[in-house]
Amino acid sequence: MKKFDLIIVGAGPAGLTAAIYSARANISTLVIDQSTSGGQVATTHSVANYPGFVEPITGYELALNMKKQAERFGTKFELAAEITDYCFKDEIKWIELDEEERFSSNYVLIATGASPRLLNLPGEVKNKGNGISYCATCDGEFYKDKDIFVIGGGNSAIEESLLLLKFVKTLTIIHQFDKLQAEKITADKVLNNPKVKVLWSHEARGFINKGESIVVEIENLKTNEKISMERDGVFIFVGMVPNSKFLLSRPVEIKQNKYGYLVTNERMETNVKGVYAAGDVREKLFRQIVTAISDGAVAALEIVKKTS
């Protein structure tokens, strides 16, 4: 069993930032991720709101720079690795990868992030980042004076629509019900905007890329009539899913809210001693790159202080 001062689960912005801070403080640090590093950022076509970059930077490049910086200070990585077992109940925690190697530490930081809830429709995954987006803050400005679809009718969909309306020429909402589920004040702001149209009682059935635009196959739920409509882009807002399932059914239960997000204090400590959480997997108000790196820095500084 190989021992580290800190094991970080998740190689997105929160995990990589924590690794930069801890490794730079001479805390031996291991970062584990079931995929490559970068998290959601690595699949983002362009990031235009990250401080310090006047021109947009690709998400892949930004994530790669974070990983290189962490490596420069001595962070070790176990990527494309599956966690097959773990134990966090004792003072010394351990994680097993691929049923072969075990790594132990007194401190574990969970920074596994969250993923947009998918519709699981044909063409969705293929066109993610290429006509289909899940983040208005990230991609809204790229659709300036464009015509777009928004799929969803809850609070997140309508709040994100308000932001998109600052950029787009027209916004057509596809919603499965006869009224929006969002808060009335916010919903009215969107519905009263002349740029907005709504396809009530409709659902998307598939997506087809058509060069610079995307075709959405749509079904009328009342008549079962199917139509195809073309727009410059599609934004899907049907919720987020925290990547916390691997924490279920273990001897020590880390406190989660009803949506599965991990509950921490302002120091990023969970209810389990020595276990921290940072980034999008944590219960919080906003989920952005900058809030994730802030969480990661706070968690690392707390751990560094305790290991000094």
Side-chain angles (χ1 to χ4, degrees):
M1 187 182 295
K2 299 177 183 177
K3 194 173 190 306
F4 288 84
D5 295 321
L6 169 62
I7 295 176
I8 299 170
V9 184
L16 292 174
T17 300
I20 291 168
Y21 273 76
S22 61
R24 188 169 181 267
N26 292 321
I27 299 297
S28 62
T29 304
L30 173 68
V31 175
I32 297 170
D33 200 296
Q34 65 178 0
S35 184
T36 56
S37 65
Q40 286 191 73
V41 176
T43 62
T44 302
H45 175 67
S46 183
V47 178
N49 60 349
Y50 191 79
F53 291 87
V54 178
E55 297 298 324
I57 183 174
T58 66
Y60 174 79
E61 186 179 1
L62 181 61
L64 183 61
N65 287 344
M66 290 181 182
K67 179 176 182 287
K68 286 180 177 178
Q69 192 174 3
E71 286 177 321
R72 178 189 167 206
F73 293 119
T75 301
K76 303 299 181 184
F77 286 85
E78 289 285 340
L79 302 177
E82 181 186 357
I83 295 177
T84 51
D85 200 3
Y86 70 89
C87 180
F88 295 158
K89 69 176 182 177
D90 300 322
E91 183 178 354
I92 297 178
K93 296 91 171 62
W94 57 262
I95 295 175
E96 181 181 87
L97 301 183
D98 301 315
E99 298 182 345
E100 293 179 357
E101 289 187 290
R102 280 192 180 185
F103 301 92
S104 66
S105 177
N106 291 80
Y107 298 97
V108 172
L109 171 61
I110 299 167
T112 46
S115 303
R117 190 182 300 278
L118 301 182
L119 296 172
N120 294 314
L121 295 176
E124 182 178 3
V125 173
K126 180 180 179 181
N127 292 296
K128 182 181 178 182
N130 188 29
I132 295 179
S133 175
Y134 302 84
C135 178
T137 306
C138 310
D139 300 329
E141 69 171 302
F142 301 116
Y143 290 89
K144 188 174 182 180
D145 298 323
K146 302 286 188 180
D147 302 304
I148 67 166
F149 277 122
V150 165
I151 299 177
N155 283 320
S156 62
I158 302 310
E159 288 167 4
E160 297 283 272
S161 292
L162 278 176
L163 177 57
L164 290 168
L165 285 168
K166 296 180 180 180
F167 303 103
V168 301
K169 181 180 178 183
T170 68
L171 185 154
T172 303
I173 298 173
I174 301 174
H175 190 45
Q176 60 184 324
F177 302 118
D178 288 329
K179 66 177 183 178
L180 300 175
Q181 276 63 57
E183 212 171 50
K184 188 177 186 303
I185 294 176
T186 312
D188 287 345
K189 285 181 182 179
V190 171
L191 294 176
N192 292 331
N193 191 302
K195 295 181 180 181
V196 174
K197 298 178 181 178
V198 185
L199 293 175
W200 301 108
S201 300
H202 281 73
E203 282 189 349
R205 291 289 179 252
F207 307 96
I208 302 171
N209 187 277
K210 191 179 178 182
E212 296 296 317
S213 61
I214 190 160
V215 175
V216 183
E217 298 173 338
I218 307 167
E219 181 178 352
N220 185 318
L221 299 180
K222 292 184 176 180
T223 66
N224 299 122
E225 177 188 4
K226 292 183 180 179
I227 57 174
S228 295
M229 298 181 70
E230 185 176 337
R231 292 291 188 273
D232 296 300
V234 179
F235 284 79
I236 300 174
F237 303 117
V238 292
M240 298 289 290
V241 180
N243 300 324
S244 58
K245 285 185 178 179
F246 78 98
L247 295 171
L248 300 176
S249 303
R250 285 294 186 261
V252 174
E253 185 173 325
I254 298 174
K255 186 177 180 181
Q256 304 178 15
N257 68 12
K258 63 181 180 179
Y259 303 109
Y261 291 100
L262 306 187
V263 178
T264 73
N265 60 21
E266 62 181 9
R267 294 180 175 86
M268 307 302 144
E269 296 170 315
T270 70
N271 61 303
V272 178
K273 185 179 178 181
V275 179
Y276 294 69
D280 287 4
V281 75
R282 185 175 79 89
E283 181 183 55
K284 57 196 298 186
L285 185 59
F286 297 111
R287 291 182 171 83
Q288 294 290 305
I289 301 172
V290 290
T291 63
I293 64 174
S294 173
D295 287 356
V298 170
L301 289 170
E302 280 293 319
I303 293 167
V304 167
K305 183 171 65 176
K306 290 183 177 180
T307 55
S308 299

